[in-house]
Amino acid sequence: MPSGNYRDVLGGAATYSSVAASLLAPVRIVGVVGSDFPEATLADLRARGIDTEGVERVDGKSFRWHGKYSQDLMSRESLDTQLGVFASFKPKLPASYKSSPFVLLGNIHPTLQCDVVGQVHKPKLVAADTMNFWIGGEPAALAEMLKRIDLLIINDEEARQLSGIHNLVRAAADIRKRGPSRLIIKRGEFGALLFDDGGTFFVPAFPLEDVYDPTGAGDSFAGGLLGYLARHGDASPRAMRRAMFFASALGSFCVEDIGPKRLLAIGKHDLSARIDAFCRLVDYGGELSFAV
Amino acid sequence: MPSGNYRDVLGGAATYSSVAASLLAPVRIVGVVGSDFPEATLADLRARGIDTEGVERVDGKSFRWHGKYSQDLMSRESLDTQLGVFASFKPKLPASYKSSPFVLLGNIHPTLQCDVVGQVHKPKLVAADTMNFWIGGEPAALAEMLKRIDLLIINDEEARQLSGIHNLVRAAADIRKRGPSRLIIKRGEFGALLFDDGGTFFVPAFPLEDVYDPTGAGDSFAGGLLGYLARHGDASPRAMRRAMFFASALGSFCVEDIGPKRLLAIGKHDLSARIDAFCRLVDYGGELSFAV
């Protein structure tokens, strides 16, 4: 298992998810950075076709997180979180963003997530991330947010906390009754489950020889998912299932190096090759049935 | 999460795996029971078409295990193990068994597993189970056994212990060099991985609403796998991949009730329905590729 100390690694859900999605579709990001944030980084994102008009630059320090991962990379501890300019962030969509058909709400206060939904004109699909902090601390605002979205993307522990139900199949049914018609439960190296009107669907995580840094894997997953849906302009159950492979593929690249380094290095050929490898991973040779 | 105390539940790897396999192919079992073992139980197995000629009845008590599962059913503690007549068990194959093309070696001393392999005439595929007890305590005998088999079926912790490597992709490559050309790594509720000359393949566990008792799930998995291969007389990579679904399906039935109760209750129609549900769980709508 690799280990090391890494400082000043570019992070943020918007970075991971937009870089992942940019391999598949045009991306527009909304966010806030402090006066310390390098302009070159935003220029790098723009060079990938990512629209950064919605990124506000504000006097003060950028958000910073410092933490420690366990040896097996399965859990992490926050050592220091400095909100900086993020503390007073109120996302405001530029006029050119308002017709975006596919919207991913990053993990911010659920009331702010609702504000963003209110700024978009008839999107095809609104997806949201959230976390234990809001589930425990802002249940009413979160309940409101759930009613405004089409897809919730959370991990297994969050699904259990949100529903109060340990079994994930039952937890999923409970959460879907609260608003989102589609739910994805991520299980890290164990893959992800999709629950929607098409039933239940599972995509594995890609078995890797080297896993360096799980930071951003979930955001890359979400970016890959939305990128695929946006590329095809389709949010049907079939498109969702196919998008799950792109989501898992982008998540798998993310963990192969520190921060977004690997994500920034890969091109469409790498993604294409991994999608092929994914298909081999689950290919059981066509129709399978058991004639009684 | 269900909980309870259950005593005198019929167990044994041979029971779970033979009952699972019997839905798919004729099965012959080898084993030993004490004078306390009810003849009616063996009659029940025979009524399912399971050949029990290889089951020896010996004066003394049958093997008994008494243990406790954690609340989430993910780990267990042995409270009492009484080997009974199992202590001096030396498997001996009846003449009618010696031409069996598919052989599953249960979790016994690796030297005894080798003895069984020596008694079979040119089998198509020999699979074996083992556990941490032999990996730690009998490394030389285990190394010998690995050279005699085609397929090893173990769980993730056993794969790590056997190889001394944490990463499962690397652990698998290491283990396959020691003998078995095929390796299956089971991950409980997280599915199972197959490593063979066809590459890497993954089958999920079936997402269930009710999980009662994980005892025997691994044995049911192995039984389902070998049953499918035997049914088709095929041990090719394609057959192995398809067999993985039957393995996981039989494992999923097993956990739905206490002991082998559910396995004994299901019929071919139930299995057929679950295989269909499994296919839906992984169906992503045909060919998937990403044109660059």
Side-chain angles (χ1 to χ4, degrees):
Chain A
M1 195 67 51
S3 63
N5 282 299
Y6 302 92
R7 292 187 175 275
D8 298 327
V9 175
L10 175 68
T15 304
Y16 289 103
S17 54
S18 65
V19 171
S22 69
L23 285 160
L24 293 156
V27 183
R28 299 158 173 164
I29 55 175
V30 180
V32 63
V33 296
S35 38
D36 54 351
F37 196 86
E39 184 56 34
T41 302
L42 291 177
D44 285 349
L45 296 181
R46 280 192 293 270
R48 304 178 66 90
I50 298 168
D51 190 337
T52 63
E53 193 191 337
V55 179
E56 265 181 277
R57 186 180 284 277
V58 170
D59 274 346
K61 290 196 169 175
S62 298
F63 174 91
R64 290 186 86 90
W65 177 81
H66 181 207
K68 202 176 152 177
Y69 281 92
S70 63
Q71 186 67 26
D72 64 3
L73 303 177
M74 287 297 282
S75 61
R76 67 181 168 197
E77 187 190 346
S78 291
L79 297 175
D80 187 31
T81 303
Q82 292 179 19
L83 290 178
V85 296
F86 198 69
S88 51
F89 177 49
K90 291 245 185 300
K92 198 174 174 307
L93 267 57
S96 63
Y97 281 28
K98 291 179 189 277
S99 59
S100 300
F102 293 88
V103 179
L104 174 61
L105 306 170
N107 169 37
I108 51 176
H109 193 292
T111 301
L112 294 180
Q113 292 179 314
C114 288
D115 284 352
V116 174
V117 179
Q119 296 176 53
V120 193
H121 302 319
K122 301 198 177 185
K124 269 199 173 177
L125 180 117
V126 176
D129 184 12
T130 191
M131 64 182 289
N132 50 2
F133 184 77
W134 308 118
I135 296 170
E138 295 285 354
L142 188 75
E144 201 49 50
M145 183 273 276
L146 291 178
K147 289 180 194 146
R148 309 275 305 262
I149 63 169
D150 306 296
L151 165 65
L152 181 68
I153 308 175
I154 52 181
N155 70 30
D156 41 8
E157 283 319 308
E158 289 155 357
R160 287 176 173 135
Q161 190 188 351
L162 176 56
S163 64
I165 299 170
H166 185 84
N167 178 281
L168 293 181
V169 179
R170 292 174 183 271
D174 175 89
I175 293 167
R176 289 181 64 213
K177 278 186 208 144
R178 300 174 189 217
S181 61
R182 305 159 179 91
L183 170 70
I184 290 174
I185 299 180
K186 297 174 290 179
R187 312 190 81 181
E189 64 159 324
F190 300 115
L193 285 160
L194 162 70
F195 300 88
D196 67 5
D197 290 341
T200 306
F201 179 76
F202 179 86
V203 70
F206 195 74
L208 294 168
E209 288 201 22
D210 296 297
V211 176
Y212 284 97
D213 180 7
T215 311
D219 299 316
S220 307
F221 181 100
L225 189 96
L226 274 281
Y228 183 87
L229 298 178
R231 182 184 186 86
H232 296 276
D234 186 358
S236 67
R238 182 172 185 268
M240 284 289 294
R241 278 151 182 74
R242 299 164 84 80
M244 290 282 277
F245 281 92
F246 286 81
S248 193
L250 269 313
S252 76
F253 281 120
C254 179
V255 304
E256 288 185 310
D257 210 332
I258 303 304
K261 199 170 159 189
R262 179 92 173 112
L263 269 191
L264 287 163
I266 60 164
K268 293 185 178 188
H269 282 96
D270 301 291
L271 178 56
S272 175
R274 181 139 306 170
I275 290 294
D276 291 347
F278 247 110
C279 290
R280 286 193 298 276
L281 179 69
V282 298
D283 177 16
Y284 53 90
E287 291 291 298
L288 180 65
S289 67
F290 175 52
V292 177
Chain B
M1 191 68 53
S3 63
N5 282 298
Y6 303 93
R7 293 189 174 272
D8 297 325
V9 176
L10 176 67
T15 303
Y16 290 104
S17 55
S18 65
V19 170
S22 69
L23 284 160
L24 293 156
V27 184
R28 298 156 173 165
I29 55 173
V30 180
V32 64
V33 295
S35 38
D36 54 351
F37 197 86
E39 184 57 35
T41 302
L42 291 177
D44 285 349
L45 296 180
R46 281 192 292 272
R48 303 177 67 87
I50 298 168
D51 189 337
T52 63
E53 192 191 337
V55 179
E56 265 181 276
R57 185 179 285 276
V58 170
D59 274 346
K61 288 194 170 178
S62 297
F63 173 91
R64 290 185 86 91
W65 177 80
H66 180 206
K68 201 175 154 178
Y69 281 90
S70 63
Q71 186 66 26
D72 65 2
L73 302 178
M74 287 297 282
S75 62
R76 68 179 166 202
E77 188 192 342
S78 290
L79 297 175
D80 187 31
T81 303
Q82 291 180 20
L83 290 177
V85 295
F86 198 69
S88 51
F89 177 48
K90 292 245 185 302
K92 199 173 173 305
L93 267 57
S96 63
Y97 281 30
K98 291 177 190 276
S99 59
S100 300
F102 293 87
V103 179
L104 173 62
L105 305 169
N107 169 38
I108 51 175
H109 193 292
T111 301
L112 294 181
Q113 292 179 314
C114 288
D115 284 352
V116 174
V117 179
Q119 295 175 52
V120 193
H121 303 319
K122 303 198 176 186
K124 269 198 173 176
L125 180 116
V126 176
D129 183 13
T130 191
M131 65 181 288
N132 51 2
F133 184 77
W134 309 116
I135 296 169
E138 295 285 353
L142 188 74
E144 202 48 51
M145 182 272 275
L146 291 178
K147 288 180 193 146
R148 311 275 306 264
I149 63 168
D150 306 296
L151 166 64
L152 181 67
I153 308 174
I154 53 181
N155 70 31
D156 42 9
E157 283 318 307
E158 290 155 355
R160 287 177 172 133
Q161 189 188 354
L162 177 56
S163 64
I165 299 170
H166 186 84
N167 179 281
L168 293 182
V169 179
R170 292 174 184 271
D174 175 90
I175 293 167
R176 290 182 63 213
K177 278 185 205 141
R178 300 175 187 215
S181 61
R182 306 161 180 90
L183 171 69
I184 291 174
I185 300 181
K186 296 173 291 179
R187 310 190 84 181
E189 65 159 325
F190 300 115
L193 284 159
L194 163 70
F195 301 88
D196 68 5
D197 290 341
T200 305
F201 179 76
F202 179 85
V203 70
F206 195 75
L208 294 168
E209 289 200 21
D210 296 296
V211 176
Y212 284 97
D213 179 9
T215 311
D219 300 315
S220 306
F221 180 100
L225 188 96
L226 274 280
Y228 182 87
L229 298 177
R231 182 184 185 88
H232 296 276
D234 186 358
S236 68
R238 181 172 186 269
M240 283 290 294
R241 280 153 179 73
R242 298 166 83 80
M244 289 283 277
F245 281 93
F246 285 81
S248 193
L250 268 313
S252 75
F253 281 120
C254 180
V255 304
E256 288 184 313
D257 209 332
I258 304 305
K261 198 170 159 187
R262 178 92 172 113
L263 269 190
L264 287 163
I266 60 164
K268 293 183 178 188
H269 281 96
D270 301 291
L271 178 55
S272 176
R274 182 141 304 171
I275 289 296
D276 291 346
F278 248 108
C279 291
R280 287 193 298 275
L281 179 69
V282 299
D283 177 16
Y284 54 89
E287 290 293 298
L288 180 66
S289 67
F290 175 52
V292 177

